[in-house]
């Protein structure tokens, strides 16, 4: 391996052999349109290169080999380098990209299991994120949103009650030279105080703790926005989660965020999940 390039490069024939014989995973970093119209390697995961910062938090098994591909091998080289910096040990770039691929192709869009990365609700509403103040990623989990937004230049504080995930996020931030204030916080502690008017935006995804909503509202500065998305009761019929404590009733999220002004909202099935989502703004 070239010391200046911390990943392997293989041609299409070698990539096909690795996929067939060793079951090596494939990460496609082209656009969703290219993935479908130009065709992709069967079983490939999709994550466009402009979202690659979130990949270290969403790709599992960092010690297992993974082939990264795009159309001509340029975007994938950047993505492969990012994953290698993040500590992924078996990163392989498909030299020449899919333009050289002669193996099987599929033209179906990526299903929910084949898409990794940040929430579509966050991406669809990123235009409402203020850039002049800190962001709080509450219940950040592995840090898919914290990594993406920090790489985009936002000041991010990420909190979670899972010590292992916070430790992993701190390690990723160090490896990738990102500034993320990752902190271990018991989000279910009674009377949790998130501060007063400190955040330009607060993000909450796939997490529901109803007693926290007053603290969320108080922590927003005047004009700050809350971007929230989590599961509704209809999700119980489809699988995890099933505990009603973690599932919203119809219209409940809109009530919980009051008196914030709802700018955008959605409720129902999207991407195989039953969720409710809002973007709400504090007056001022």
């Amino acid at each position: 391996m070239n010391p200046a390039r911390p990943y392997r490069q293989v041609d299409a024939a070698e990539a096909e052999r690795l996929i067939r014989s060793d079951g090596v995973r494939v990460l496609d970093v082209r656009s969703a349109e290219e993935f479908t119209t130009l065709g992709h390697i069967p079983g490939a995961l999709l994550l466009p290169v402009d979202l690659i910062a979130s990949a270290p938090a969403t790709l599992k098994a960092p010690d297992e080999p993974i082939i990264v591909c795009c159309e001509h091998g340029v975007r994938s080289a950047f993505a492969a380098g990012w994953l290698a910096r993040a500590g992924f040990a078996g990163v392989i770039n498909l030299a020449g990209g899919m333009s050289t691929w002669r193996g099987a192709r599929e033209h179906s869009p990526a299903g929910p299991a084949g898409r990794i990365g940040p929430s579509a609700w966050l991406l669809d509403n990123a235009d409402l994120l203020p850039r002049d103040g800190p962001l709080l990623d509450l219940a950040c989990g592995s840090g898919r949103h914290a990594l993406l937004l920090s790489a985009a230049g936002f000041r991010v504080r990420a909190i979670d009650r899972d010590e292992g995930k916070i430790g992993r996020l701190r390690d990723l931030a160090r490896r990738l030279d990102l500034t993320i204030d990752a902190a271990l916080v018991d989000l279910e502690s009674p009377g949790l105080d998130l501060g007063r008017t400190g955040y330009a935006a607060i993000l909450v995804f796939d997490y529901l703790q109803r007693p926290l909503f007053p603290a969320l509202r108080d922590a927003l500065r005047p004009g700050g926005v809350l971007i929230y998305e989590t599961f509704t009761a209809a999700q119980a019929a489809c699988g995890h989660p099933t505990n009603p404590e973690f599932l919203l009733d119809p219209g409940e999220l809109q009530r919980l965020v009051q008196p914030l002004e709802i700018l955008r909202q959605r409720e129902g099935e999207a991407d195989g999940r039953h969720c409710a989502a809002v973007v709400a703004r504090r007056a001022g």
Side-chain angles (χ1 to χ4, degrees):
M1 184 182 298
N2 184 343
R5 189 177 62 223
Y7 54 85
R8 288 173 58 197
Q9 291 219 105
V10 299
D11 61 19
E14 177 64 7
E16 187 173 9
R17 186 195 69 77
L18 289 169
I19 294 166
R20 283 183 172 179
S21 62
D22 299 333
V24 173
R25 299 175 296 162
V26 178
L27 176 65
D28 195 315
V29 297
R30 296 174 297 170
S31 68
E33 182 180 3
E34 290 174 295
F35 188 84
T36 303
T37 59
L38 299 177
H40 55 270
I41 297 170
L45 301 170
L46 171 64
L47 184 67
V49 70
D50 55 335
L51 305 176
I52 195 63
S54 65
T58 54
L59 281 173
K60 308 302 181 185
D63 293 331
E64 294 181 3
I66 184 167
I67 293 173
V68 187
C69 66
C70 64
E71 192 58 26
H72 299 290
V74 178
R75 286 171 287 176
S76 59
F78 174 82
W82 185 266
L83 291 176
R85 284 179 58 198
F88 282 69
V91 183
I92 304 166
N93 183 45
L94 174 56
M98 290 297 293
S99 63
T100 66
W101 180 259
R102 300 294 177 263
R105 289 182 187 241
E106 292 181 352
H107 290 81
S108 57
R115 290 192 298 272
I116 61 172
S119 163
W121 185 247
L122 174 62
L123 299 178
D124 290 345
N125 295 285
D127 59 308
L128 296 177
L129 285 173
R131 297 199 66 96
D132 59 346
L135 277 59
L136 175 64
D137 185 2
L138 185 137
C140 64
S142 299
R144 58 182 176 145
H145 298 132
L147 290 168
L148 180 69
L149 293 173
S150 179
F154 289 90
R155 287 186 287 146
V156 181
R157 176 171 169 81
I159 62 175
D160 200 279
R161 63 179 300 182
D162 188 316
E163 184 175 4
K165 290 179 178 177
I166 289 296
R168 168 71 172 156
L169 179 55
R170 287 171 177 164
D171 179 63
L172 286 173
R174 178 185 58 79
R175 289 176 177 271
L176 297 169
D177 197 25
L178 298 176
T179 302
I180 299 175
D181 178 13
L184 186 66
V185 176
D186 183 359
L187 302 176
E188 298 181 9
S189 175
L192 177 64
D193 186 0
L194 298 173
R196 296 290 185 272
T197 65
Y199 296 104
I202 298 176
L203 316 177
V204 187
F205 287 88
D206 299 343
Y207 181 78
L208 180 60
Q209 181 70 3
R210 291 174 176 89
L212 270 181
F213 277 87
L216 292 172
R217 293 191 294 267
D218 289 344
L220 280 174
R221 73 179 189 187
V225 295
L226 171 66
I227 301 182
Y228 204 117
E229 180 186 48
T230 196
F231 299 102
T232 61
Q235 179 67 20
C238 305
H240 181 80
T242 58
N243 188 334
E245 290 187 16
F246 308 131
L247 298 171
L248 290 161
D249 293 327
E252 184 182 9
L253 183 57
Q254 291 88 336
R255 297 190 296 272
L256 287 170
V257 301
Q258 292 179 358
L260 301 180
E261 175 194 6
I262 295 177
L263 304 177
R264 297 173 187 171
Q265 59 183 302
R266 182 184 71 187
E267 187 163 335
E269 184 178 2
D271 299 329
R273 298 154 37 105
H274 293 270
C275 290
V278 299
V279 181
R281 181 172 57 200
R282 182 172 180 173

